[in-house]
Amino acid sequence: MPGSGRAPDAYRNETFDAAFCCYLLELLSGDDIARTLAEFHRVLRPGCRLTLVLIGQNTAIFNSVYKVAAGSPRFWAAGGARVPELIESAQFRLLEDHFVRQIYYPSRVLVAQK
């Protein structure tokens, strides 16, 4: 609304059949992760899917190298390992949770349904 100081939602509720988010949550605080998942829930139609790709934080060697290169990763401090729990808190049902590796770069792929 003009003059209200509040930005209108960019997309109407239940607009999309699918959403894909790759390596974004690592940059957000825990509260922002929850808000982002809530926004995905708002814009997805019932029964549709959200796919998230995260840095795979389960590899000790990669974690050591990443911490040196990137400093103290905000994502792990914000509860990156808790993302499945946060997905369910945002009223999604977790369907798949896979770890994949592209050369030496581990990733975690989560698929959830609204």
Side-chain angles (χ1 to χ4, degrees):
M1 296 176 70
S4 70
R6 182 172 172 255
D9 294 327
Y11 299 101
R12 290 179 285 134
N13 294 348
E14 301 180 352
T15 300
F16 297 100
D17 292 325
F20 179 80
C21 178
C22 189
Y23 303 120
L24 169 72
L25 299 184
E26 292 87 348
L27 304 174
L28 305 177
S29 69
D31 290 342
D32 286 339
I33 292 170
R35 279 192 286 274
T36 300
L37 292 172
E39 182 65 7
F40 281 129
H41 190 273
R42 184 186 72 77
V43 299
L44 281 172
R45 291 185 177 107
C48 292
R49 293 186 180 194
L50 168 64
T51 301
L52 301 170
V53 180
L54 314 169
I55 292 174
Q57 66 268 27
N58 69 335
T59 306
I61 294 171
F62 178 82
N63 289 353
S64 298
V65 172
Y66 187 83
K67 285 178 184 178
V68 169
S72 177
R74 226 177 174 201
F75 180 63
W76 291 307
R82 292 185 38 234
V83 171
E85 175 187 321
L86 294 170
I87 288 170
E88 291 174 350
S89 293
Q91 301 175 0
F92 284 98
R93 183 169 57 98
L94 187 60
L95 301 175
E96 299 177 35
D97 186 350
H98 302 284
F99 285 93
V100 296
R101 188 178 303 277
Q102 307 110 39
I103 306 177
Y104 294 105
Y105 196 84
S107 295
R108 186 174 187 185
V109 180
L110 300 160
V111 179
Q113 184 175 39
K114 179 175 175 182

